Amino acid sequence: MNNLWKFSSLKMKTAIQQLLNKIYSDLCFEDLYRIAYTMVLHKHGEKLYLGTKEVIQDHLIQKVCYITTALLFKVFFSIFFNRQGNRLWKHPQSSF
């Protein structure tokens, strides 16, 4: 039963990651339903829930970090180039 749990959890983790990344081509929803049903039937429902929660949290953290980093770079470069542009506009001869 322990090997079944390891296989099932890995299969479900991979499937959830694919769903979150909008990759649907390799998924068989009937198989995933059967795996989830079997896990709950064998009293692994809480592990399924916690594993799903962990995968979704990791995905959201990665997305937030990516978006935050992109926004910080955008803000930094806009501030930097605005300052440089203002300096060029005010003192065109001395800025070169």
Side-chain angles (χ1 to χ4, degrees), residues 53-86:
K53 180 181 169 184
E54 180 183 338
V55 170
I56 292 172
Q57 280 178 337
D58 291 345
H59 177 77
L60 291 174
I61 288 169
Q62 288 176 352
K63 286 287 186 181
V64 167
C65 287
Y66 175 77
I67 291 169
T68 304
T69 304
L71 286 174
L72 286 174
F73 277 121
K74 184 177 180 180
V75 168
F76 170 75
F77 283 118
S78 67
I79 290 171
F80 177 75
F81 285 118
N82 280 340
R83 285 186 182 163
Q84 292 291 60
N86 286 339

Side-chain angles (χ1 to χ4, degrees), residues 5-17:
W5 159 246
K6 286 181 183 177
F7 171 76
S8 299
S9 65
L10 181 62
K11 180 93 170 160
M12 292 300 289
K13 179 179 180 177
T14 304
I16 293 168
Q17 287 171 336

Side-chain angles (χ1 to χ4, degrees), residues 4 6 9 13 15-16 18 25 27 41 46 49-52 54 61 71 77 87 89 92 96:
L4 174 66
K6 286 181 183 177
S9 65
K13 179 179 180 177
I16 293 168
Q18 288 179 340
S25 60
L27 298 176
L41 186 67
E46 187 173 354
Y49 171 77
L50 293 174
T52 303
E54 180 183 338
I61 288 169
L71 286 174
F77 283 118
R87 187 171 61 95
W89 184 257
F96 292 105

